[in-house]
């Protein structure tokens, strides 16, 4: 039983795509998965795994299918245990844990339960304002169960949100309801998902969970609860009119990993967008645009709006400023790390510590 192939892994793919065999149809020809659509590359990380296995099998003789299966399983484990450049040095197993079990992998990632210092974040400023308005008793909600219009106007006019996070805020004036103040509305929903506030009948109240956390360590204990809820409970795609692209939210731990590794001093948001798309190139196939350039732009925009602005910046992990504030069509931002970026989420010894 011989595993040699007529086409070398670095040869042009016989499908005519013009790409190397290992970047196109190699894994499909070896029976390892579905073939990509004509002319579309296999993601680099996956292609490299199968190319590595192919190179180690090439020319070897096997006496049975059982022997082939055993060797394949061993080689697959070895390939998945190696660092991958597109994952910024993470292994495939690490990425799987970040995407699917981030709260059950303490050797890899730890979302701190109590911060070492007081969190400075727009999200906490809004939560404090809501909590203060509720007071010890309650806050009367509107007929639709939203925060009262007077409070929304007051907080909007207080400029609690940096302009870069909401560059179109002035277009929504005057504030007629909570829905006109996106960050406030989304934060209120996040706090409810976190079990920190609750709508009982027609009144908002502070929950026992919020009171316990405040007694324990004030906002140092409240912030991690709110951050977790924002990461996994609140739907990032609920009202931004972009493509669904669930991977942007699912990969929130990897996004923080990218920010910790790539954002040093003043860094362009384009750097983070490109690194994210390199790690998840299949996301380009989830948007319905005819050209690769349009698909790339759509995914990049979702990463920046949902991940960078409305998650990382809103929760004070980074500071953001517009790269060209006088150009409303330019969506490039300068990113700067804050102490919270490394204090709130810590990557353990299983995560690579080098910076590419």
């Amino acid at each position: 039983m011989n595993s040699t192939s007529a086409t070398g892994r670095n040869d042009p793919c016989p499908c005519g795509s013009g790409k190397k065999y290992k970047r196109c149809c190699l894994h499909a020809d070896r029976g390892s998965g579905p073939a990509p659509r004509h002319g579309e590359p296999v993601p680099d990380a996956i292609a490299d795994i199968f190319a590595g296995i192919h190179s180690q099998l090439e020319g070897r003789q096997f006496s049975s299918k059982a022997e082939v299966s055993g060797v394949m399983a061993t080689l697959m484990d070895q390939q998945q245990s190696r660092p991958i450049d597109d994952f910024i040095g993470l292994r495939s197993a690490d990425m799987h844990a970040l995407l699917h079990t981030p709260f059950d992998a303490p050797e890899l990632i730890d979302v701190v339960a109590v911060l070492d210092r007081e969190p400075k974040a727009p999200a906490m400023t809004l939560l404090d304002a809501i909590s203060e308005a509720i007071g010890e008793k309650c806050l009367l909600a509107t007929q639709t169960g939203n925060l009262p219009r007077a409070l929304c106007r007051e907080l909007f006019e207080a400029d609690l949100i940096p302009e870069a996070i909401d560059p179109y805020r002035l277009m929504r004036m005057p504030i007629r309801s909570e829905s006109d103040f996106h960050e406030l509305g989304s934060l209120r929903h996040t706090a409810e998902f976190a079990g920190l506030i609750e709508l009982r009948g027609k009144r908002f109240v502070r929950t026992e969970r919020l009171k316990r956390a405040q007694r324990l360590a004030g906002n140092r204990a409240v912030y991690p609860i709110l951050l977790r809820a924002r990461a996994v409970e609140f739907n990032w795609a609920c009202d931004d009119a972009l493509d669904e692209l669930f991977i942007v939210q699912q990969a929130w731990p990897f996004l923080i990993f990218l920010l910790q590794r790539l954002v040093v001093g003043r860094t362009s948001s384009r750097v983070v967008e490109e690194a994210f798309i390199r790690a998840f190139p299949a996301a380009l196939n989830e948007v319905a645009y005819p050209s690769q350039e349009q698909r790339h732009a759509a995914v990049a925009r979702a990463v920046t709006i949902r991940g960078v602005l409305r998650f990382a910046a809103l929760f004070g992990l980074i500071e953001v400023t517009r790269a060209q504030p006088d150009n409303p069509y330019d969506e490039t931002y300068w990113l700067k790390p804050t102490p919270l970026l490394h204090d709130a989420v810590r990557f353990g010894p299983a995560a690579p510590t080098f910076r590419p």
Side-chain angles (χ1 to χ4, degrees), residues 179-190:
S179 60
D180 292 329
F181 191 174
H182 175 273
E183 285 70 25
L184 178 63
S186 71
L187 198 282
R188 191 264 297 173
H189 283 294
T190 303

Side-chain angles (χ1 to χ4, degrees), residues 12 26 52 55 59 66 77 80 105 113 161 172 183 217 225 241 244 253 255 262 265 281 285 313 316 329 354:
L26 169 68
S55 66
D77 287 342
Q80 291 183 336
I161 301 297
R172 295 199 297 273
E183 285 70 25
I225 298 173
E244 186 172 350
L255 175 64
L262 301 181
N285 298 326
Y329 301 104
F354 65 89

Side-chain angles (χ1 to χ4, degrees), residues 1-3 57 60-75:
M1 190 176 296
N2 196 313
S3 66
L57 289 176
R60 293 181 61 172
Q61 301 288 329
F62 300 97
S63 58
S64 67
K65 291 184 178 179
E67 182 183 359
V68 174
S69 298
V71 172
M72 283 289 292
T74 300
L75 292 177

Side-chain angles (χ1 to χ4, degrees), residues 8 12 17 20-21 32 56 91 130 134 158 160 178 214-215 217 222 255-256 268 282 302 304 325 332 341:
S17 67
K20 290 184 178 180
Y21 184 42
S32 306
Q56 294 185 62
R91 303 169 302 165
I130 295 172
I134 293 174
L160 302 179
E178 180 188 283
Q214 289 175 330
R215 288 194 297 267
V222 174
L255 175 64
I256 295 179
S268 172
T304 291
T332 306
L341 179 58

